[in-house]
Amino acid sequence: MVSATATAVALSCLMAGAPAVARSRAADPSHDRVPAAAAAQRQHPVAAVPLPRPRPESAPQSASREQTKDAARDEGTEGGKEGAKEVKAPAPPQSSACRIALTEEIAIAPSIPPIKGPGACGGDDLVRLEAVVLPDKRRVAVTPAAVMRCTMASTVANWVRNDVAPLVVRLGSPIAALDNFDSYQCRGRNNVAGAQMSEHGRANALDVRGFKLADGRMIELTDRTQPRDLREAVLHSVCTHFSTVLGPDSDWYHEDHIHLDLAERRSNYRICQWDVLDPLPKIAPLMPAVRPDDAPPRETADAEEEAKEGTKEGAKEGTKQEAKGEKAAGRAGPRGAAEPDARKAAPSEPSSGDAAAAEAEDPEPATPPPAPQPAPAKGAKKKHKSKS
């Protein structure tokens, strides 16, 4: 009983002392500072960081935290708008009237970016013509696909749809493909270095070899063996649609294909140079043509030989006569040459004997006889001797 009473008294004393200590600490604040600083130093051995100096009263007032946030928010919004403006892609160019009209119901010709080649090469509003769509929805492939201007592609499509397809029907098979020999190529005319820019370099031309039919046949426009009426019909159609047409006989650069373009010239001047040639004979004729019935008879070989022999004989006789004449002239020549000397030596009034001798030695007239006549000369000589 004594021990229990003693324990209760001790507990009551302890409980009464704790509020007194708390009141003493609250009344004396310095009493708790030292233990707190000592506790902080014990927990953080590193020295405390010094605080900044107080702001002077003359310094400008700093913006509040809320104002700073609002300004940052506004700058971010404006910067975002400017960035959006810079990143925004340029608006695509508006489609041309040709591009709008050249739909997939007429041709399969997707647009391609403009080409800026060296010099004047390239162009704008370009397409890649892959096929022409006929009115019955069948497609005529362009092999290979041709790069050209939209206006050129539209003209080619209309030409194939309205002219070529109806013409080919007469051959018994529809058209299946258009043989493209050349389209866009940055070069001079006829591939000559330094020549004027070709319409191929401007993507405004197409070279065509022919058409391929559905049954596999190939119709080449420069083939002489193809039907002439078909080639002539194609000639008239291309010269109607295009401003320039060059084919065989225009120059030797276009003997195996047809050149088509839409070159613009003054007064809408057009060039259409393509000769539709006939096929060559399979075998060259060796015999001459049949002689007409009313023609004079031909001389036979025997008659020609006789005429040649007669001519030869006549030439021989003429040669002999000329030789005889030359011999006769040679014999009379010395006498005629001695005559001037004899006349110079003779007296002005010759005697009768001298005169007779002179007459005997005088040559014959201008036309000498074939043979000399010595008999009169001998008699004259004897008479002269008798008189002397």
Side-chain angles (χ1 to χ4, degrees):
M1 292 290 290
V2 176
S3 59
T5 305
T7 303
V9 171
L11 289 173
S12 63
C13 291
L14 289 174
M15 294 179 66
V21 173
R23 287 194 298 269
S24 65
R25 288 182 178 178
D28 189 5
S30 61
H31 179 77
D32 197 25
R33 288 179 183 173
V34 174
Q41 290 180 357
R42 285 194 300 270
Q43 293 177 358
H44 301 284
V46 181
V49 178
L51 295 175
R53 294 188 226 177
R55 185 179 183 86
E57 296 179 359
S58 61
Q61 296 295 328
S62 61
S64 63
R65 184 175 298 179
E66 294 180 357
Q67 293 177 353
T68 304
K69 290 181 179 180
D70 295 340
R73 189 183 306 107
D74 295 339
E75 290 178 359
T77 305
E78 292 178 359
K81 291 180 179 180
E82 292 177 357
K85 290 181 181 178
E86 293 178 358
V87 175
K88 187 177 180 180
Q94 296 181 355
S95 301
S96 63
C98 174
R99 177 69 270 183
I100 297 173
L102 191 63
T103 62
E104 293 186 355
E105 296 180 357
I106 298 176
I108 306 301
S111 299
I112 62 175
I115 298 177
K116 303 297 182 182
C121 285
D124 300 325
D125 195 17
L126 303 181
V127 300
R128 185 176 63 253
L129 183 60
E130 300 176 356
V132 177
V133 181
L134 299 181
D136 59 358
K137 305 303 180 182
R138 289 185 301 106
R139 293 187 178 184
V140 178
V142 179
T143 55
V147 174
M148 61 183 67
R149 299 189 181 190
C150 179
T151 53
M152 183 67 185
S154 178
T155 305
V156 172
N158 293 332
W159 171 57
V160 174
R161 287 165 53 92
N162 301 328
D163 293 353
V164 177
L167 287 174
V168 175
V169 171
R170 69 181 68 177
L171 300 177
S173 180
I175 183 174
L178 179 69
D179 187 4
N180 170 27
F181 184 65
D182 190 16
S183 56
Y184 170 72
Q185 186 179 7
C186 184
R187 60 174 176 83
R189 291 182 178 178
N190 302 321
N191 281 314
V192 178
Q196 187 176 357
M197 177 63 65
S198 171
E199 291 299 316
H200 287 279
R202 297 185 176 92
N204 198 32
L206 178 68
D207 288 345
V208 180
R209 278 187 174 175
F211 317 116
K212 186 176 182 181
L213 305 184
D215 59 2
R217 287 182 294 167
M218 185 67 191
I219 307 299
E220 295 185 4
L221 298 176
T222 59
D223 187 1
R224 295 169 177 249
T225 61
Q226 298 298 331
R228 182 183 178 87
D229 57 346
L230 175 65
R231 290 180 289 145
E232 287 181 346
V234 174
L235 167 63
H236 294 303
S237 67
V238 292
C239 290
T240 302
H241 287 273
F242 302 93
S243 60
T244 306
V245 177
L246 300 176
D249 281 359
S250 61
D251 53 38
W252 67 278
Y253 296 100
H254 301 90
E255 295 297 321
D256 58 349
H257 66 275
I258 307 299
H259 170 88
L260 310 173
D261 69 44
L262 291 177
E264 296 181 359
R265 303 182 182 89
R266 294 181 180 179
S267 303
N268 197 24
Y269 180 74
R270 293 173 173 263
I271 297 177
C272 184
Q273 298 179 357
W274 172 14
D275 288 344
V276 179
L277 304 176
D278 293 325
L280 297 173
K282 296 182 180 180
I283 301 176
L286 301 178
M287 299 297 295
V290 179
R291 187 177 180 83
D293 297 334
D294 56 350
R298 292 179 177 176
E299 296 181 357
T300 60
D302 296 338
E304 292 179 359
E305 292 293 334
E306 291 177 359
K308 290 180 181 179
E309 291 178 358
T311 304
K312 291 180 180 180
E313 291 178 358
K316 290 180 180 178
E317 291 294 335
T319 304
K320 290 180 180 179
Q321 293 295 336
E322 291 177 1
K324 289 180 180 180
E326 289 176 357
K327 289 180 180 180
R331 291 178 181 176
R335 295 178 184 175
E339 179 182 0
D341 296 337
R343 290 180 178 177
K344 288 180 182 179
S348 58
E349 293 181 359
S351 60
S352 60
D354 295 337
E359 290 176 0
E361 294 177 357
D362 207 14
E364 295 296 328
T367 304
Q373 297 178 3
K378 288 181 180 180
K381 288 182 181 179
K382 289 180 181 179
K383 185 177 181 180
H384 179 69
K385 289 180 181 181
S386 64
K387 285 187 179 182
S388 64

